[in-house]
Amino acid sequence: MEWSAVTDATDPQAAIDAASEQRERGRDPRVYEHTAGDVQEGIPFIGAGPGDPGLLTVTGKELVEDTDLVVHAGSLVNSELLDEYCADAETVSSVGKDLEELIPLMRDAHEDGRTVVRLHSGDPAIYGAALEQMDALEQEGVPTYIVPGVTSAFAASATLRTQLTLNGTANHVAFTRPQGRTLDPEDDHVSDFVEMGDVTTCIYLGTHAIPDVMDRLRDDGHDPDTPVTVVYHASWPDEDVIEGTVETIGEKVENAGYRASALVVIGDAGAGANYDRSYLYGDWANRSGSESEADD
């Protein structure tokens, strides 16, 4: 399959639809030509990490230091990162701008010969809305690619000095969000994940909804003593950790006054509790003679 691009100005929704149709016929050949660490032609969509400038990847740092225009996610990207690494670039916040404004902004700068970086918070793969921008740019002949970043669940796990997966406690991790404007009630599976028992449930974009989520968990019959940890602004200077349970965490978060920018972790793994020693560094590992699963 030949991956085509439209060079004339394209309606963003039409571009998204066209790109989706192309993917149904086959993969973009660049999938087989590049790895995630490659610096490629075009506009990189970079994960800025959860907040601390030091958690920007080396590749991301090199790209933002050598660019003319940085389109960033407003206050979700730490201003210290912009000040430290983007001092010589023009910076534009994407807050309040729709695709019809963002796409021509980045396209025109690229076509004028300027280097352009699109800076998302966390990692673009997790609730980043990056692909629709990339599809719209690609359909106008502007190549794009992704530079991964550190998502807030990993920063929260590091702050809590634990793992999201722990032997005998959590074999799975669910990244999810609660019902609201962009998620219908029937598509909210927080309760389903908690019911599985061995899942660490990480809730994004739901700080404002924590009391309601916990009420629904109790209504669904979940143990009110199930551990819940909320990490506000993970890795930022004003980071805060609030510990509680399904029964207590809603009131604690309301009392703290947080309405956004917190990561909710439900399950024993968030507390680093009740886990079993793994097999990796015991008799099983010594007998196997294999390192194939040593990083699992």
Side-chain angles (χ1 to χ4, degrees):
M1 182 198 73
E2 182 179 352
W3 194 263
S4 61
V6 179
T7 56
D8 294 333
T10 307
D11 173 71
Q13 186 59 57
I16 292 168
D17 294 341
S20 296
E21 184 178 336
Q22 283 183 302
R23 290 193 184 93
E24 290 179 357
R25 297 196 300 269
R27 291 275 191 184
D28 183 326
R30 289 171 295 182
V31 168
Y32 310 103
E33 298 167 356
H34 294 284
T35 67
D38 289 348
V39 174
Q40 303 174 41
E41 178 188 2
I43 297 177
F45 279 63
I46 300 173
D52 188 316
L55 296 180
L56 179 66
T57 67
V58 172
T59 298
K61 175 178 178 291
E62 291 174 346
L63 287 167
V64 297
E65 285 181 327
D66 191 34
T67 194
D68 299 314
L69 172 64
V70 177
V71 180
H72 62 88
S75 62
L76 295 177
V77 174
N78 194 338
S79 60
E80 292 182 7
L81 184 154
L82 298 174
D83 292 341
E84 185 170 351
Y85 302 142
C86 311
D88 296 328
E90 178 188 358
T91 58
V92 175
S93 171
S94 62
V95 175
K97 296 179 175 61
D98 57 22
L99 288 180
E100 285 75 11
E101 186 174 357
L102 282 172
I103 300 310
L105 170 70
M106 292 186 282
R107 178 203 63 205
D108 293 349
H110 175 78
E111 291 180 348
D112 287 343
R114 304 175 73 195
T115 56
V116 182
V117 157
R118 179 65 168 104
L119 198 59
H120 277 250
S121 60
D123 182 288
I126 306 295
Y127 301 117
L131 191 59
E132 60 197 54
Q133 300 170 68
M134 297 171 68
D135 283 346
L137 285 166
E138 293 274 350
Q139 292 296 311
E140 296 206 18
V142 180
T144 63
Y145 63 101
I146 293 173
V147 177
V150 177
T151 189
S152 59
F154 299 155
S157 177
T159 285
L160 298 175
R161 305 176 69 84
T162 186
Q163 299 174 201
L164 298 179
T165 59
L166 283 171
N167 194 43
T169 296
N171 292 309
H172 315 280
V173 179
F175 291 166
T176 187
R177 62 185 302 180
Q179 63 191 49
R181 283 191 306 174
T182 57
L183 189 70
D184 295 331
E186 60 268 24
D187 296 322
D188 180 336
H189 299 297
V190 174
S191 186
D192 299 328
F193 296 135
V194 175
E195 185 177 4
M196 293 177 186
D198 64 342
V199 176
T200 301
T201 304
C202 300
I203 303 177
Y204 286 73
L205 306 173
T207 314
H208 65 287
I210 291 173
D212 178 62
V213 170
M214 299 305 145
D215 286 345
R216 284 187 282 110
L217 289 177
R218 290 197 299 273
D219 291 344
D220 288 344
H222 294 295
D223 185 351
D225 292 328
T226 301
V228 182
T229 308
V230 173
V231 182
Y232 171 75
H233 254 181
S235 84
W236 292 64
D238 61 345
E239 176 186 82
D240 191 14
V241 176
I242 302 175
E243 299 182 80
T245 63
V246 166
E247 179 72 35
T248 65
I249 198 68
E251 182 177 357
K252 289 185 176 183
V253 172
E254 281 197 328
N255 290 340
Y258 301 139
R259 299 288 296 171
S261 303
L263 194 284
V264 183
V265 183
I266 304 175
D268 284 330
N274 302 320
Y275 73 94
D276 299 328
R277 176 175 173 176
S278 76
Y279 296 105
L280 296 182
Y281 305 109
D283 292 341
W284 175 86
N286 293 333
R287 287 198 305 268
S288 71
S290 171
E291 296 182 1
S292 61
E293 297 185 30
D295 290 333
D296 289 354

